Amino acid sequence: MDKFRITGGRPLKGRVSISGAKNSALPCMAAALLTSETITLHNLPYVRDIITQRRLLEDLGGTVLTPELRTHKINASHVEVFEAPYELVKTMRASVLALGPLLARFGKAKVSLPGGCAIGMRPIDLHLAGFEKFGAEVKLEAGNVVAYAPPEGRLRGAEIHFEKVTVTGTENLMLAATLARGRSVLHNAACEPEVADLADLLNKMGARVIGAGTPTIQIQGVESLGGAQHTIIPDRIETGTFIAAAALTGGALEIKDCYPGHLSTVIEKLREIGVEIEELNPTTLEVSCRGRLSASNMTTQPYPGFPTDMQAQYMVLMTQAEGVSVIDETIFENRFMHGSELQRMGAKIFVNGRSATVSGPSALTGAPVLASDLRASASLVLAGLVASGETLIDRVYHIDRGYEKIEVKLRQLGADIERVREPVAVPALQPLPG
Ligand code: EPU
């Protein structure tokens, strides 16, 4: 297992380019299952989850060509398997996004039911209730969700009212509805830019989706979908993470190939606490921080609210801010595991259920720490950049799932960070018998 060794205290300076959004790329890759024609996706981030999603598509019988590192040409004309096994789903929950397309195009799908994870229970009951509304028969067999389209072989469009906003739930049902008979309406749908990006791709494929990016999405089902080319939107969470890195280290960064419009709430909040952020043009931000940060309460919310995926990074900012801040996590029930690791580095954090109180500023000191999930690991990297001395972050495979070469990007900006590879144990040679 790789680790990151970071020696903190260096201000980050220079220019960094933002990669494509993992959480947009994953559903867009799943969309390729809806057609026998080729889907070409550009600007895919080079991260572990994309490799896992590719593996899933190939296991189902699809072919994936990579003419360039960040371009995939996906063809699902020969899908013969309709199953996402536990081995894959347990490493990446987004594999459940195969359910909607498989059910809609082939009338059957079997996907292992994901269990809870480091940030909460994360059930998929709302996805399944939606498929049932589309006329599917959904059963749970030996830990797998097994779903069949109605006897006529095609899902039926329906009105769905989500009782809770769910991002992949909205995407899964939107994917399924594109090939359903008749019209579907998704009410209380997730408004995240990744949902709108998926709808853009689907419409290029010939789907009829209106309203994605708002709480009401209308989908008129079509008989079949065709090939398309699509460029994935920039990753707003990676953008926010680099803004936080510039602010924490008192650096000055130009962040390019991003889309500031997708993180207006984050930019507004970080300006409020004292980070200087300027939009140089529609895809470039200039970030610096000369003065002290000031504490401010924050509550995570579905888009366009402050994203839960930036909560851990915000907590590190609050450890360096003057005053007391309360952070409320409303999306996931257990997303403060980074809190105890940050405490080990000297932060003053008190966690009570879904609320964390941070008193700052605290002088952080380097320590060995353990990453528990993707965004928690990003927060530990940020803490390591600001701490005095050496921080050793274990289990950085979490960060490799969603940040493209973060240590390389940070090093180019002047950070003292290196990946430490654990030597692979080679068994001792045994003498040959005889
Ligand atoms: N929920 C249910 N039932 C469902 C679905 C969701 O109760 O059927 C609950 C969840 O347990 C959670 C809340 O609804 O409490 C919101 O979950 P959501 O379904 O929106 O989360 P998700 O779709 O599983 C995506 C991102 C996450 C991000 C969340 C929230 C992808 C692949 N993942 O997860 O990203 O935190 O939306 O914005 O898009 C990450 O990138 O680090 C990450 C965890």
Side-chain angles (χ1 to χ4, degrees):
M1 259 188 248
D2 292 358
K3 297 182 175 140
F4 281 162
R5 183 186 294 132
I6 306 174
T7 305
R10 293 202 189 177
L12 299 190
K13 294 220 164 78
R15 190 182 288 167
V16 63
S17 170
I18 295 302
S19 301
K22 161 188 84 84
N23 288 350
S24 176
L26 292 171
C28 286
M29 290 172 80
L33 290 169
L34 287 166
T35 174
S36 59
E37 294 182 19
T38 299
I39 299 297
T40 304
L41 298 175
H42 303 288
N43 200 34
L44 292 169
Y46 186 59
V47 297
R48 173 61 52 189
D49 273 8
I50 299 303
I51 297 169
T52 308
Q53 190 76 329
R54 174 185 180 149
R55 156 106 192 272
L56 170 62
L57 296 174
E58 288 173 337
D59 284 359
L60 296 175
T63 54
V64 183
L65 300 178
T66 312
E68 288 170 40
L69 189 61
R70 291 174 188 79
T71 296
H72 280 13
K73 283 178 174 293
I74 307 169
N75 185 287
S77 52
H78 294 294
V79 170
E80 288 143 1
V81 178
F82 309 99
E83 181 175 351
Y86 181 61
E87 284 312 306
L88 266 176
V89 180
K90 77 175 185 200
T91 60
M92 192 186 65
R93 307 174 58 82
S95 335
V96 300
L97 284 165
L99 256 177
L102 287 177
L103 195 52
R105 181 164 158 223
F106 303 101
K108 55 187 164 188
K110 181 172 166 186
V111 171
S112 174
L113 188 67
C117 76
I119 61 178
M121 297 276 289
R122 305 185 74 183
I124 57 161
D125 55 317
L126 303 176
H127 306 220
L128 304 185
F131 293 133
E132 281 179 339
K133 277 242 166 178
F134 287 159
E137 186 195 349
V138 180
K139 292 184 288 189
L140 186 66
E141 281 174 5
N144 299 303
V145 174
V146 184
Y148 295 97
E152 64 266 29
R154 198 166 162 201
L155 296 174
R156 295 187 287 261
E159 295 232 358
I160 310 281
H161 295 259
F162 288 106
E163 64 190 56
K164 222 180 210 185
V165 176
T166 158
V167 178
T168 46
T170 301
E171 291 163 349
N172 226 345
L173 297 191
M174 187 163 78
L175 286 159
T178 56
L179 288 180
R181 197 184 299 280
R183 179 170 171 270
S184 299
V185 186
L186 309 182
H187 298 278
N188 197 26
C191 302
E192 269 67 3
E194 294 76 19
V195 174
D197 199 33
L198 172 64
D200 273 357
L201 166 64
L202 291 170
N203 285 336
K204 287 176 192 167
M205 293 166 66
R208 293 172 61 194
V209 182
I210 302 173
T214 77
T216 309
I217 305 178
Q218 298 178 51
I219 305 131
Q220 182 63 45
V222 295
E223 291 284 329
S224 65
L225 293 169
Q229 293 227 19
H230 183 68
T231 301
I232 301 295
I233 56 170
D235 195 312
R236 63 196 164 98
I237 306 300
E238 189 195 19
T239 309
T241 305
F242 275 100
I243 299 179
L248 283 162
T249 61
L253 288 187
E254 189 177 304
I255 303 178
K256 61 185 187 105
D257 305 321
C258 62
Y259 189 58
H262 288 165
L263 64 162
S264 309
T265 310
V266 172
I267 291 176
E268 203 178 300
K269 188 73 186 170
L270 299 191
R271 278 185 181 143
E272 180 196 322
I273 65 167
V275 187
E276 286 147 55
I277 306 171
E278 226 191 295
E279 208 173 307
L280 294 187
N281 61 51
T283 57
T284 312
L285 288 172
E286 194 175 63
V287 184
S288 61
C289 189
R290 282 178 284 259
R292 272 219 171 266
L293 296 172
S294 55
S296 176
N297 298 344
M298 186 278 282
T299 302
T300 61
Q301 296 285 357
Y303 192 85
F306 196 98
T308 174
D309 290 344
M310 272 298 294
Q311 178 257 104
Q313 301 87 317
Y314 186 80
M315 185 180 274
V316 182
L317 285 163
M318 287 302 98
T319 68
Q320 300 309 298
E322 199 92 49
V324 177
S325 56
V326 178
I327 299 176
D328 288 308
E329 171 57 59
T330 70
I331 310 292
F332 292 110
E333 61 265 30
N334 185 28
R335 210 176 196 183
F336 282 134
M337 282 170 75
H338 43 281
S340 45
E341 298 304 293
L342 294 173
Q343 275 170 356
R344 300 188 56 251
M345 298 176 72
K348 297 190 193 78
I349 298 167
F350 174 72
V351 174
N352 183 12
R354 287 178 168 218
S355 187
T357 305
V358 187
S359 307
S362 310
L364 300 185
T365 47
V369 286
L370 202 60
S372 53
D373 76 84
L374 172 57
R375 309 302 169 186
S377 19
S379 78
L380 298 179
V381 169
L382 292 176
L385 293 175
V386 80
S388 59
E390 190 177 286
T391 298
L392 198 60
I393 306 177
D394 201 354
R395 300 197 183 164
V396 297
Y397 59 82
H398 286 296
I399 209 161
D400 292 335
R401 292 185 56 183
Y403 284 86
E404 182 172 323
K405 297 195 166 136
I406 191 167
E407 79 281 20
V408 176
K409 290 191 183 186
L410 287 170
R411 217 170 28 240
Q412 281 164 357
L413 301 172
D416 187 348
I417 176 170
E418 64 170 340
R419 182 179 290 264
V420 185
R421 292 195 191 277
E422 289 273 282
V424 181
V426 182
L429 286 176
Q430 300 296 321
L432 290 172

